[in-house]
């Protein structure tokens, strides 16, 4: 079965940075569209990034430049580097395995992914 395990969250001051990691197993990782979404209690899930099997990335315009997604297929791991953090970035961040797709791998798909991890908390204060 698919397993996604996030790590790297924590508490940081405004302006700080974190690097989130997601170790994946049970899927053909190198051929998967992978991504991240975040959620604040009581609010809807918000897609933040995707990366397709060829390394093409997608972000909301509001986050582009501060968030960077990358993948390391040899380690079945996807990363999310988050910079210049503000209190509005405080949320639980989830890794998502969107599917074995290339043509359409966009951040808006991540909240609806069938496979996701347990999340890692990011708190900015």
């Amino acid at each position: 079965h698919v397993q996604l395990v996030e790590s790297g969250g924590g508490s940081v001051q405004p302006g700080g940075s974190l690097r989130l990691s997601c170790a994946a197993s049970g899927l053909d990782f190198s051929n998967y569209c992978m991504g991240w979404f975040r959620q604040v209690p009581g609010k809807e899930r918000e897609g933040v990034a995707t990366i397709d099997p060829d390394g093409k990335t997608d972000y909301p315009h509001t986050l582009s430049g501060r968030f960077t997604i990358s993948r390391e297929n040899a380690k079945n791991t996807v990363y999310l580097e988050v910079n210049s953090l503000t209190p509005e970035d405080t949320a639980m961040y989830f890794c998502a395995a969107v599917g074995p797709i290339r043509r359409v791998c966009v951040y808006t798909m991540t909240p609806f992914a069938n496979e996701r991890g347990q999340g890692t908390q990011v708190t900015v204060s």
Side-chain angles (χ1 to χ4, degrees):
H1 69 284
V2 175
Q3 190 170 17
L4 304 172
V5 180
E6 301 96 335
S7 60
S11 296
V12 297
Q13 294 183 342
S17 299
L18 287 170
R19 190 190 196 203
L20 310 182
S21 299
C22 170
S25 60
L27 72 165
D28 185 11
F29 181 82
S30 64
N31 287 312
Y32 253 69
C33 167
M34 300 294 297
W36 293 84
F37 67 90
R38 64 186 182 184
Q39 188 169 26
V40 175
K43 294 189 176 181
E44 293 186 354
R45 297 175 182 178
E46 178 188 9
V48 299
T50 45
I51 185 166
D52 80 358
D54 296 321
K56 181 179 178 182
T57 59
D58 188 52
Y59 311 90
H61 290 302
T62 53
L63 299 179
S64 182
R66 292 198 301 120
F67 286 23
T68 303
I69 189 171
S70 61
R71 65 192 300 157
E72 190 169 359
N73 289 339
K75 294 185 177 181
N76 280 13
T77 300
V78 61
Y79 305 97
L80 183 70
E81 186 169 339
V82 294
N83 299 306
S84 302
L85 287 162
T86 73
E88 289 68 37
D89 294 315
T90 295
M92 186 73 80
Y93 284 70
F94 296 88
C95 176
V98 178
I101 53 178
R102 274 183 163 81
R103 290 188 177 183
V104 182
C105 176
V106 294
Y107 72 88
T108 51
M109 300 172 74
T110 57
F112 309 102
N114 288 331
E115 306 292 348
R116 63 178 175 90
Q118 294 298 309
T120 186
Q121 177 69 36
V122 172
T123 302
V124 186
S125 63

